[in-house]
């Protein structure tokens, strides 16, 4: 089971990295909502306002906390499944914004979270 131990350590590290990046995105969302209109929702930047940015920021921060908690207690099956759910929700959000609502064209700003959410 040495390989499983290595895998879990890599997964823990990846979850921490993703969590730290998410905290940065949250802070940017709270400080300046133009971050979202310039990087993510470039298809309809007029839809982005302070309230939407703060909501996105708090959701991203919550996901970060959950993912970091999972990195700490990766053996907790319930927490692991909730963490997986955060990635499924993020994937669904960005795919729907890209292909249904057309607010987030497939730029690098959208592709990065899609890749992270799908891994």
């Amino acid at each position: 089971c040495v390989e499983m131990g290595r895998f879990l350590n890599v997964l823990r590290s990846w979850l921490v990295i993703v969590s730290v990046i998410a905290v940065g995105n949250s802070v940017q969302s709270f400080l300046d909502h133009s971050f979202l209109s310039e990087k993510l929702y470039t298809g309809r930047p007029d839809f982005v306002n302070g309230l939407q940015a703060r909501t996105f920021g708090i959701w991203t921060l919550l996901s970060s906390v959950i993912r970091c908690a999972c990195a700490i207690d990766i053996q907790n099956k319930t927490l692991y499944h909730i963490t997986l759910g955060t990635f499924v929700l993020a994937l669904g959000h960005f795919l729907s914004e890209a292909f249904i609502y057309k607010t987030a064209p497939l730029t690098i700003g959208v592709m990065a979270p899609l890749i992270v959410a799908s891994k």
Side-chain angles (χ1 to χ4, degrees), residues 4 8 10 13 15 18 30 41 49-50 56 61 84 87 109 116 118:
M4 181 58 88
L8 290 178
V10 169
S13 299
L15 286 170
V18 170
F30 291 126
Y41 304 106
N49 60 39
F56 180 89
L61 187 59
L84 185 59
F87 289 107
V116 169
S118 64

Side-chain angles (χ1 to χ4, degrees), residues 16-113:
V16 169
I17 290 167
V18 170
S19 294
V20 169
I21 292 168
V23 169
N25 288 338
S26 293
V27 170
Q28 287 179 311
S29 295
F30 291 126
L31 294 178
D32 182 12
H33 73 269
S34 66
F35 161 73
L36 292 177
S37 59
E38 293 170 1
K39 301 290 183 200
L40 293 176
Y41 304 106
T42 57
R44 290 300 304 263
D46 54 308
F47 280 12
V48 178
N49 60 39
L51 175 60
Q52 190 269 337
R54 290 187 302 275
T55 302
F56 180 89
I58 204 73
W59 178 81
T60 303
L61 187 59
L62 176 60
S63 294
S64 173
V65 169
I66 292 169
R67 293 167 185 171
C68 194
C70 185
I72 293 166
D73 187 11
I74 203 151
Q75 299 291 341
N76 183 325
K77 286 185 181 185
T78 302
L79 184 55
Y80 183 86
H81 288 119
I82 291 169
T83 302
L84 185 59
T86 67
F87 289 107
V88 171
L89 289 172
L91 183 63
H93 170 73
F94 286 111
L95 287 174
S96 67
E97 293 300 327
F99 296 109
I100 297 171
Y101 303 111
K102 311 281 191 229
T103 59
L106 295 179
T107 62
I108 188 66
V110 174
M111 290 301 294

